[in-house]
């Protein structure tokens, strides 16, 4: 079986940026990805990725993959279900019985994002998420709603949804909040929303009305139809921490992300680094690339020190 110097689980911007650095330094590096990353489904243009203006998610992934491969990184498709071992000798197992080995490991498995329920099902949102005017991340997408009549869909806590709406009031004055799950709102918070002209509604979504990839309205179970120019989701986001947990990587206090020991992405488990959305930071391509790059530099330096100590 081939032995790699580094295995990277996750071929999003974090994993691919890390692979580029390691391959450039002539490290034998393998990226294993199951092709479920959000960018593969994000057809809207991304405006905030430095050096890659107005590209779609698939275009960004294609360029990053090509660049890493051109320097010698190997990229394979696989769903890693098991991670074990310790520094110098890690083993990953895929769902089809594949097995991979390496001295060091970078986990860049990203996050799972909850969508609003539409008649009890989250799948209808896939048609619009990242494709037009259904937004999820204020750090990435808030500027998309400037001056637009916007509904914030509260798909988790009312405090989260109302906080998002208050933050978005910097971008548009035409805001409504629809609480679909937690419908109780702190009276002081409600007063604040009202003072900003933000209407608070409650209800459950029965159907999405759209044209192509453009969402036009929400049909509620009580028969109301809410039309808007843009929609912003407030929902929960969880790090894909299953492999990190198997290896004993510490989780953040909230237990939804893997916790690095430092900004360098090293963890409490020697030989295991983490990068990208998996870390408890914001979700953004440039941040994923940056944390992937830092982790890769640290991994390369670690391997170099090992070589020096052996020779
Ligand atoms: C709708 C939407 C719109 C967005 N718009 C923007 C934007 O405009 N600007 C911006 O900067 N950011 C945007 N983002 C956020 C951006 O996509 C993420 O921050 C970025 O992709 C994170 O990169 P990552 O490499 O950490 O993780 P990901 O891109 O999530 O990649 C993780 C990879 O790991 C793989 N994986 C996970 N577990 C396993 C496993 N067990 N085995 C094998 N492979 C595995 C997945 O297939 C995936 O490819 C958006 C996100 C969404 C959902």
């Amino acid at each position: 079986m081939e032995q790699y110097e580094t295995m990277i689980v996750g071929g999003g911007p974090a994993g691919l940026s890390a692979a580029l650095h390691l391959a450039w330094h002539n490290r034998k590096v393998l990226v294993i990805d199951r092709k479920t990353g959000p960018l593969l489904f994000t057809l809207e243009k991304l405006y905030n990725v430095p050096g890659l203006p107005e590209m779609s998610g698939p275009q960004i992934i294609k360029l990053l993959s090509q660049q890493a491969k051109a320097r010698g990184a190997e990229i394979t498709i696989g769903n890693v279900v098991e991670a074990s071992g310790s520094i110098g000798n890690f083993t990953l197992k895929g769902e089809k019985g594949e097995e991979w080995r390496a001295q060091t490991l970078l986990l860049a498995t990203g996050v799972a994002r909850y969508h609003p329920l539409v008649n009890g099902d989250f799948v209808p949102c896939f048609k619009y998420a990242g494709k037009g005017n259904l937004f999820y991340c204020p750090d990435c997408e808030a500027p998309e709603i400037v001056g637009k009549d916007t509904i914030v869909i509260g798909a988790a806590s009312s405090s989260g949804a109302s906080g998002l709406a208050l933050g978005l009031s910097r971008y548009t004055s035409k805001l409504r909040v629809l609480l679909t799950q937690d419908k109780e709102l702190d009276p002081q918070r409600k007063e604040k929303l009202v003072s900003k002209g933000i209407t608070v509604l409650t209800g459950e979504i029965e159907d999405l009305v759209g044209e192509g990839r453009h969402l036009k309205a929400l049909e509620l179970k009580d028969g109301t139809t809410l039309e808007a120019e843009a929609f912003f989701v407030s929902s929960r986001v969880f790090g894909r921490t299953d492999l990190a947990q198997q290896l004993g990587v510490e989780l953040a206090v909230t237990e939804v992300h893997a916790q690095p020991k430092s900004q360098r992405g090293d963890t409490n488990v020697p030989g295991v680094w983490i990068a990208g959305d998996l870390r408890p930071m914001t979700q953004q391509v440039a941040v994923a690339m940056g944390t992937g790059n830092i982790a890769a530099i640290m991994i390369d330096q670690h391997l170099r020190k090992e070589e020096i100590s052996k020779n």
Side-chain angles (χ1 to χ4, degrees):
M1 187 188 303
E2 274 198 89
Q3 176 86 18
Y4 291 88
E5 289 177 290
T6 307
M7 291 184 295
I8 299 173
V9 188
L16 292 172
S17 302
L20 171 63
H21 178 83
L22 288 161
W24 169 232
H25 284 264
N26 204 25
R27 296 292 175 196
K28 193 166 170 51
V29 55
L30 174 71
V31 179
I32 308 160
D33 187 76
R34 66 183 180 202
K35 297 271 172 210
T36 56
L39 287 186
L40 295 174
F41 307 95
T42 304
L43 303 183
E44 70 192 33
K45 286 178 182 172
L46 281 75
Y47 295 95
N48 64 337
V49 184
L52 301 174
E54 299 190 35
M55 289 204 179
S56 69
Q59 283 175 313
I60 292 171
I61 291 296
K62 193 174 168 192
L63 282 176
L64 293 176
S65 304
Q66 283 173 345
Q67 202 178 354
K69 274 190 194 165
R71 297 276 66 80
E74 290 176 46
I75 302 177
T76 191
I77 297 175
N79 181 23
V80 181
V81 291
E82 216 180 294
S84 60
S86 56
I87 188 161
N89 192 16
F90 289 103
T91 302
L92 296 176
K93 288 189 179 163
E95 69 173 353
K96 291 184 181 155
E98 314 97 308
E99 205 169 296
W100 302 278
R101 294 231 170 108
Q103 296 170 47
T104 56
L105 199 53
L106 173 65
L107 301 178
T109 45
V111 294
R113 190 181 289 272
Y114 278 52
H115 296 271
L117 293 177
V118 177
N119 205 13
D121 187 2
F122 57 85
V123 173
C125 289
F126 291 177
K127 192 172 168 194
Y128 305 101
K131 312 216 171 34
N133 60 341
L134 178 61
F135 303 115
Y136 288 75
C137 168
D139 290 336
C140 304
E141 297 168 307
E144 300 259 18
I145 66 156
V146 169
K148 289 185 182 156
D149 182 13
T150 302
I151 295 177
V152 172
I153 306 171
S157 73
S158 61
S159 63
S162 55
L164 175 62
L166 288 170
L168 292 177
S169 66
R170 193 174 155 257
Y171 302 87
T172 181
S173 58
K174 291 174 261 179
L175 274 166
R176 284 166 283 170
V177 181
L178 173 68
L179 301 176
T180 66
Q181 296 287 314
D182 172 16
K183 301 189 181 97
E184 297 295 319
L185 187 58
D186 172 70
Q188 277 184 340
R189 179 54 73 87
K190 187 164 185 181
E191 219 172 278
K192 196 154 191 180
L193 289 165
V194 171
S195 76
K196 295 234 173 224
I198 303 171
T199 313
V200 181
L201 307 159
T202 57
E204 281 154 43
I205 304 170
E206 172 78 18
D207 208 356
L208 301 178
V209 184
E211 212 174 270
R213 295 174 192 150
H214 190 84
L215 181 59
K216 294 174 89 174
L218 309 174
E219 274 180 11
L220 304 190
K221 288 210 157 133
D222 66 6
T224 317
T225 299
L226 300 174
E227 289 183 13
E229 292 173 282
F231 301 82
F232 232 107
V233 175
S234 168
S235 65
R236 298 178 77 193
V237 170
F238 292 92
R240 295 192 195 281
T241 55
D242 46 338
L243 301 175
Q245 287 188 62
Q246 288 176 26
L247 291 159
V249 171
E250 265 173 25
L251 299 185
V253 184
T254 50
E255 298 215 339
V256 295
H257 287 95
Q259 185 70 46
K261 248 180 17 183
S262 76
Q263 289 306 316
R264 297 183 300 259
D266 49 334
T267 67
N268 60 305
V269 181
V272 178
W273 279 260
I274 55 173
D277 283 6
L278 179 63
R279 295 179 52 171
M281 298 171 83
T282 188
Q283 288 94 48
Q284 202 170 89
V285 172
V287 175
M289 288 175 170
T291 53
N293 192 249
I294 294 170
I297 291 168
M298 294 304 134
I299 292 170
D300 179 50
Q301 289 185 3
H302 159 79
L303 291 167
R304 230 180 294 160
K305 279 181 203 149
E306 289 283 293
E307 286 157 4
I308 292 166
S309 72
K310 278 184 195 151
N311 296 322

